[in-house]
Every structure is written in C-alpha cells, then in structure tokens.
Amino acid sequence: MGRKTWFDDDGMKKGEWTAEEDQKLVAYINEHGLCDWRSLPERAGLQRGGKSCRLRWLNYLRPGIRRGKFTPQEEEAIIKLHAVLGNRWAAIAKKMENRTDNDIKNHWNSCLKKRLSKNGIDPMTHEPIINNLTVTTTNEEECGSSPTNTSLTTESHFSSSPSGSACLLNKLAAGIASRQHDLDRIKNILLDRKITINDQDEEGGLRRDQKIGEEDDFLIWDDGEVRRYMDTDPMEYETTPYDSVLYESTQILDYLF
DNA sequence: AATCATGTCAACCGCAGTGCG
DNA sequence: CCGCACTGCGGTTGACATGAT
C-alpha cells in the first residue's frame, strides 16, 4: 500500500519506497549514523529528498518500531494522553513505547476519534457532548460577587469552543488555584478526566448548578485573575492572578514535558 | 459479482522553530 | 539583527484493503 512513484521537477523521486531504497538507506545509516539529512540521499545513492529519507527512517525503518494493531492498553493511553496534550502527536509518541507519531495520529483520526464520538464524548475536549462550555469566561463589569448571579459571556479570553489547550489550562488553573502546589497533585488533576462543566441557560449565561463531578471546583476567568469557587460554599472563592497562573503553568509544563 | 463506503497507513506539504553565518 | 538552511511537527492526501449492500 502507498502512493505510486513519480518524479518532481527537480528529478527527485516521490511516492512509495522500494525494498532496494530501504536497504540503501538502512545500510548507509548503519554505517555512517544519522547526520545531515539534506546530503544523505546523495551519499546513500538515493534519488530522494532529505525530508523523504528522514520520514522513511523515523516512521518505518528505525529499529524497535512497533507496528500493527494497537492494544486496548495502548488505545487507553493515547486517549488519556490526548486529553492532556491535545494533537501534539510527537509528545504523545514520546510517552508511548516505540510507536511513531504518524502511527498514533493515523489511529486517532481513523479509529479513536470516531469511537469517542460514537460514545458521546467530544474527541477534542474529552467531555460529554452537550451544548455547553468547558472554560468559563467573564467580563469584569458583568461579574457579580456571587457565582449564582454571575452573568457570563464567551468573548473575553477564550473562544466559546474550548480547545484542548484551554481545557489543559483550566485543569492547571484548578490545581494552582487550589493552592496545592505539589506536582503529584497537579499530575493527578491533569490525568483526571473530570473537569468543571457549565451549562448555558436560556439567556446565554451560565448556570453553576449543572456541573459534572461533585468534587470539582468552579473556575471563573476574569480580566486579571482566576477565581476558584469552592464546591462546599458557593459564596466563598479564592483568587489567583493570571501572572501567577501562567508562571506556575509554565513550570509544571516544563516539569511534565 | 459489482459497486460503494469506510478503514488503514504510508507519504507529502506547508509552516514554525532553531541555529548559524 | 537579519536572512537562510535545516529540522521537526501536524494536517492532509492518495491508494489499497475490507466490509456492506
């Protein structure tokens, strides 16, 4: 399987690799090691571009690559990692044993994404598919002191369709705002699928009484800070400045990835 | 048996990041 | 500082395989 071969304007061969080309590439790399991809094809006697050689090596010829069917454990790992990392396939591949980013990406797009959708899970946010928002945003003048009468809009810091990054940020913020800074706690938060969900009411505002997960806290992203309302007492909240959230998020991300 | 839809997977393309002169 | 070359990444494409009708 693959693409037919053809030659581009520069005389470079494109499309499917032959066994002979594979052999040449492997032999050259085994003898000389990985070096300059640009000059490698010529030195290896290949009529290919350096990019093509690199891709072929990394995704197919490199030793130790696992191929074929994904195990249920691998699929579960991909789903969990995707919930945290989003479409960062290279980062996901680094966490998986000997799977290439291309392989993982293909499997996600062809199989896992559809499976999640079928099961009522949004494959991008990893949340149940309901008409709502994951990241809550607000404008300062519209935000009252009580979360129950808070009027929220979707046009301040984040789009109304939360990206994987926004979800990640929300989870990070939950951990940071909770003032429990140890990394194990943060990692648990990142790997926990349950995050605050807020339903939109008829007026386009948000109701806080429709969230998933009893122990989850309710986050408000305001202009200069993140407010974390306690589940135990809806009148009580803690604030964390954006700068602090961003700084600590960076540190956590550095540690994790 | 023929046709169509869907799945699989290798490979390409374009863009962003990085390093170097 | 700037421009160029190179590398790495993510999105997309294309061809074959397989299953359903």
Side-chain angles (χ1 to χ4, degrees):
Chain A
M1 190 162 53
R3 299 182 175 199
K4 287 175 181 173
T5 53
W6 74 97
F7 291 86
D8 70 7
D9 296 342
D10 300 327
M12 287 293 174
K13 195 177 175 186
K14 301 269 187 173
E16 197 167 15
W17 280 65
T18 65
E20 192 192 350
E21 288 176 308
D22 283 346
Q23 210 177 347
K24 279 184 181 176
L25 182 58
V26 171
Y28 183 86
I29 291 174
N30 284 342
E31 195 178 336
H32 300 94
L34 289 172
C35 53
D36 176 27
W37 285 112
R38 191 179 163 84
S39 61
L40 185 147
E42 197 182 341
R43 287 187 281 170
L46 291 162
Q47 229 178 326
R48 294 273 184 174
K51 231 176 168 178
S52 180
C53 291
R54 178 186 162 272
L55 203 68
R56 183 66 178 171
W57 172 258
L58 292 178
N59 286 342
Y60 200 85
L61 300 171
R62 181 164 51 103
I65 287 181
R66 257 181 87 124
R67 313 189 61 75
K69 280 210 160 193
F70 283 78
T71 65
Q73 289 77 21
E74 284 179 310
E75 290 182 333
E76 194 183 341
I78 293 170
I79 291 167
K80 279 184 177 172
L81 288 165
H82 187 272
V84 175
L85 297 167
N87 289 2
R88 293 172 57 208
W89 306 115
I92 292 173
K94 278 175 192 162
K95 306 273 179 194
M96 307 276 298
E97 253 187 55
N98 298 323
R99 289 287 189 181
T100 68
D101 54 351
N102 210 30
D103 219 12
I104 293 167
K105 179 174 59 180
N106 281 333
H107 192 57
W108 173 265
N109 285 328
S110 68
C111 184
L112 298 180
K113 198 160 89 173
K114 287 169 192 168
R115 192 187 298 167
L116 286 180
S117 293
K118 222 176 180 177
N119 292 337
I121 305 290
D122 185 327
M124 291 318 291
T125 63
H126 293 261
E127 293 303 326
I129 299 170
I130 43 179
N131 232 0
N132 62 11
L133 300 177
T134 302
V135 176
T136 337
T137 63
T138 177
N139 291 331
E140 196 165 328
E141 62 274 15
E142 292 172 323
C143 187
S145 58
S146 163
T148 51
N149 61 12
T150 295
S151 170
L152 301 169
T153 73
T154 59
E155 294 172 359
S156 50
H157 303 298
F158 298 97
S159 73
S160 59
S161 172
S163 65
S165 301
C167 281
L168 173 60
L169 202 53
N170 215 20
K171 291 178 185 183
L172 282 170
I176 292 161
S178 74
R179 299 288 192 269
Q180 295 179 60
H181 291 161
D182 70 276
L183 287 164
D184 284 335
R185 161 74 175 155
I186 300 294
K187 277 191 278 187
N188 284 337
I189 291 163
L190 287 169
L191 294 172
D192 187 352
R193 227 183 52 72
K194 283 181 294 183
I195 62 169
T196 306
I197 300 287
N198 304 283
D199 262 5
Q200 258 187 309
D201 65 19
E202 297 80 14
E203 288 82 42
L206 293 163
R207 293 207 308 267
R208 86 150 298 206
D209 58 350
Q210 295 186 351
K211 64 192 181 62
I212 288 173
E214 288 301 312
E215 70 281 32
D216 287 322
D217 297 316
F218 180 77
L219 293 179
I220 298 284
W221 291 78
D222 210 323
D223 278 348
E225 64 191 17
V226 176
R227 291 188 207 155
R228 173 177 169 264
Y229 290 93
M230 308 303 180
D231 198 55
T232 50
D233 181 0
M235 298 300 288
E236 192 184 336
Y237 66 87
E238 291 177 348
T239 61
T240 307
Y242 268 143
D243 286 349
S244 173
V245 170
L246 291 173
Y247 172 75
E248 294 186 54
S249 298
T250 305
Q251 290 210 318
I252 292 161
L253 289 169
D254 282 347
Y255 172 85
L256 289 173
F257 315 120

